Amino acid sequence: MASKRKTDPVPEKSHGYEFFGPPGVFVISFFLPVLCYAFTFLCNDISGCPAPSLLHPSTLDFEQLKKEVGWPGFSGLITWNAVLGNFAYYLLSLALYAFLPAEEPEGTELRTGGRLNYRFNAWGSGIFILVILAAGTFVEGAEFRVWTFISENYIGLLTTNILTSYALATYVYILSFTVQHPKDPNLRELAQGGHSGNMLYDWFIGRELNPRITLPIFGEVDIKTWAEIRPGMLGWVILDLAFIMQQYRNFGKVTDSIILVTFAQTFYVFDCYYMEPAMLTTIDIISDGFGLMLAFGDLVWVPFTYSLQARYLATYPVELGIRGLVPIFAVQAVGYYIFRSVNNEKNRFRTNPDDPRVKHLKFIETASGSKLLITGWWGTARHINYLGDWFMSWSYVLPTAAAGYVIRNAATHPLDATSKDAVFFQNTYQKYVVPGEAKGWGMFVTYFFMVYFAVLLLHRERRDEEKCRRKYGKDWERYCELVPYRIVPYVY
């Protein structure tokens, strides 16, 4: 008699709560969307960054604040235009994923045995979309419909992606209950940390490790890897480019600061696309389930918060000059050199330890058969890769300088209008932007990325340490003695 199929497998005991458990994930799940809206409304192109009323909290009037931020009411947070435009973008991304030529490597071995095949062509997909955007810009300039659509529907696009991330997290959570135990014939697995039994926590952290869906026309899609670097990361670049065009429409020029920010971030994204197969050795793919944590991070947090600097510069243009460009570019170059050198060393050693570029490196072998490098980059700190990432984050925020501005009318503020810092909007009746009393306060928005990224990397480092300690046991303790520093050699 055939055994009855089980639909609620528990292959291994979940290894404990992260993010302070259900209360923590509740706050993250429902506070971060509010934070995204706060950045959008409180740093705006209507009254200033931050909104002027926030500079005088003792006399704060919420009705006045709503006027200053252009509050559209809850019904105005989403529009059909934004929904349809976002759907078209996702549809194009899926089509390119399915039909462009692709590399199809195998992933790492699963706990239950076997390896999944993946489909990687993000580089070609990204180039294809950017070529379309470049052609449209060549013909229509800054008025190309894609650029104006983004500016006109920015809030609606943000809301649409928030709702999409919630829906996707809910779908994969429900889907996870069809994983078969003890070994699914389609190589599906539950994530070790994602089946705690608490619905909210598992929905957030991700219950299934590698959820996939088979769609008509498009075929099988690996949801996690598709969401990880396609719509959101390329969306980050597209938003940056849209803000360049918005700056040009506002002021009739494009500044070096916004070009530097966009170049650095685009380079980072396409470096990720070029090295796409290396994603298969990251913690996101190997051990994290796919839930709201990754869905919201991929589809909302990355494009809409990582592009804050370009959005700011679209309304307050900053001219860096050669003396500003050189040191910021140097920070970017050093950060990228560390980031890429470290990751190349790891990937080469994992794929071919006899590669002449890594053959000389020393390592210790663990009881499980894994090899841990104790010389080279990985001999200087156990998570040295995060240092390069953080350096690069500095180069994204520094071009905004001492951020903060107010938007005024020359008729009511004639003295400020004559200031050398005043920048007039093109084709607008004496409307201009000036630092004024907001100078420095806008840094809470534009420098948020650098602070957040430091917290993120420290949290990731702690997660990595815990996972490695469980996996390698006493071998990890020995490794820590040989490589005592975590991220910054001789400091931390």
Side-chain angles (χ1 to χ4, degrees):
M1 180 183 293
S3 61
K4 184 179 179 181
R5 175 180 173 180
K6 297 183 180 181
T7 59
D8 189 11
V10 184
E12 293 183 28
K13 184 178 180 181
S14 183
H15 55 61
Y17 286 137
E18 298 182 68
F19 303 101
F20 303 103
V25 304
F26 176 84
V27 172
I28 294 171
S29 299
F30 301 104
F31 169 73
L32 288 188
V34 174
L35 185 60
C36 289
Y37 284 121
F39 286 142
T40 299
F41 285 111
L42 300 181
C43 182
N44 60 71
D45 59 359
I46 298 170
S47 61
C49 180
S53 290
L54 297 179
L55 301 175
H56 306 281
S58 62
T59 58
L60 182 63
D61 179 273
F62 283 100
E63 289 303 316
Q64 177 62 24
L65 181 61
K66 286 197 287 187
K67 293 178 182 178
E68 291 176 354
V69 303
W71 174 247
F74 288 104
S75 62
L77 294 179
I78 189 168
T79 65
W80 278 112
N81 281 343
V83 172
L84 294 174
N86 203 70
F87 177 75
Y89 171 61
Y90 276 46
L91 200 64
L92 174 60
S93 182
L94 279 170
L96 297 176
Y97 170 88
F99 301 124
L100 283 185
E103 184 179 356
E104 299 188 2
E106 287 187 333
T108 57
E109 187 170 0
L110 300 168
R111 292 193 317 277
T112 55
R115 297 171 185 266
L116 289 167
N117 288 318
Y118 291 85
R119 183 174 179 80
F120 289 153
N121 59 10
W123 173 271
S125 299
I127 295 295
F128 185 94
I129 291 174
L130 289 191
V131 167
I132 293 175
L133 296 175
T137 306
F138 178 79
V139 174
E140 299 185 6
E143 298 294 335
F144 179 42
R145 187 57 188 136
V146 171
W147 307 133
T148 57
F149 178 87
I150 290 172
S151 295
E152 294 164 2
N153 294 275
Y154 181 82
I155 294 170
L157 291 170
L158 170 61
T159 304
T160 301
N161 280 281
I162 291 172
L163 296 177
T164 300
S165 70
Y166 276 59
L168 187 56
T170 303
Y171 170 76
V172 295
Y173 176 77
I174 295 171
L175 184 69
S176 71
F177 288 92
T178 63
V179 176
Q180 297 181 51
H181 177 65
K183 183 173 181 178
D184 192 284
N186 295 316
L187 302 182
R188 298 172 65 196
E189 282 188 359
L190 296 188
Q192 283 183 293
H195 51 95
S196 68
N198 182 280
M199 181 184 296
L200 175 64
Y201 182 84
D202 293 346
W203 171 76
F204 171 82
I205 210 74
R207 197 168 185 273
E208 186 173 351
L209 180 66
N210 42 37
R212 296 187 169 199
I213 184 173
T214 300
L215 297 172
I217 301 175
F218 302 114
E220 186 178 65
V221 177
D222 185 272
I223 297 173
K224 188 199 287 186
T225 56
W226 179 80
E228 183 87 0
I229 65 172
R230 285 174 183 269
M233 285 194 74
L234 188 62
W236 174 17
V237 173
I238 293 172
L239 286 176
D240 279 354
L241 295 172
F243 293 134
I244 287 180
M245 301 305 161
Q246 186 172 318
Q247 186 189 74
Y248 184 80
R249 292 196 303 272
N250 284 341
F251 305 106
K253 65 178 182 179
V254 175
T255 58
D256 52 10
S257 57
I258 199 170
I259 291 175
L260 176 60
V261 167
T262 303
F263 170 79
Q265 295 179 348
T266 302
F267 187 86
Y268 179 85
V269 169
F270 275 84
D271 174 81
C272 171
Y273 285 178
Y274 186 75
M275 303 297 294
E276 190 175 12
M279 175 172 56
L280 296 177
T281 62
T282 63
I283 189 173
D284 287 359
I285 305 302
I286 293 175
S287 60
D288 285 343
F290 187 82
L292 185 72
M293 179 178 72
L294 290 181
F296 184 86
D298 294 341
L299 305 181
V300 182
W301 193 252
V302 168
F304 290 95
T305 65
Y306 287 22
S307 60
L308 283 173
Q309 296 78 33
R311 182 171 179 265
Y312 171 88
L313 293 168
T315 304
Y316 186 67
V318 174
E319 295 284 2
L320 295 173
I322 193 69
R323 295 174 66 180
L325 285 171
V326 170
I328 295 174
F329 186 78
V331 171
Q332 163 70 15
V334 170
Y336 177 76
Y337 173 75
I338 296 173
F339 167 79
R340 181 46 55 210
S341 299
V342 169
N343 284 295
N344 280 345
E345 185 178 89
K346 176 189 71 174
N347 292 328
R348 287 165 182 159
F349 187 78
R350 281 182 173 176
T351 55
N352 181 18
D354 294 323
D355 188 316
R357 292 168 290 186
V358 295
K359 188 177 181 180
H360 64 285
L361 297 176
K362 296 180 180 180
F363 59 87
I364 61 171
E365 189 161 355
T366 68
S368 63
S370 298
K371 297 175 181 179
L372 304 175
L373 289 170
I374 58 172
T375 60
W377 280 106
W378 294 92
T380 61
R382 301 193 294 275
H383 309 280
I384 186 70
N385 52 321
Y386 294 151
L387 183 62
D389 258 326
W390 194 53
F391 277 173
M392 284 191 287
S393 76
W394 281 75
S395 68
Y396 302 160
V397 304
L398 288 173
T400 64
Y405 60 80
V406 290
I407 297 174
R408 291 178 174 164
N409 189 291
T412 54
H413 295 84
L415 293 179
D416 280 348
T418 61
S419 166
K420 64 181 179 64
D421 295 319
V423 185
F424 282 81
F425 285 87
Q426 183 173 249
N427 300 325
T428 304
Y429 297 103
Q430 294 191 310
K431 186 179 177 184
Y432 66 94
V433 59
V434 65
E437 61 181 347
K439 186 173 183 178
W441 291 105
M443 294 173 71
F444 283 104
V445 175
T446 62
Y447 283 72
F448 169 81
F449 176 79
M450 184 185 70
V451 177
Y452 150 77
F453 214 54
V455 173
L456 171 71
L457 296 177
L458 286 172
H459 177 259
R460 274 182 167 265
E461 176 262 320
R462 295 287 176 169
R463 293 181 75 204
D464 291 352
E465 287 281 318
E466 181 60 30
K467 290 177 187 290
C468 290
R469 188 167 284 107
R470 286 197 307 268
K471 181 177 181 180
Y472 301 122
K474 291 183 178 180
D475 290 323
W476 187 254
E477 294 177 10
R478 180 161 63 101
Y479 174 65
C480 291
E481 292 176 359
L482 295 170
V483 185
Y485 300 103
R486 292 172 178 261
I487 297 177
V488 186
Y490 305 104
V491 177
Y492 173 75

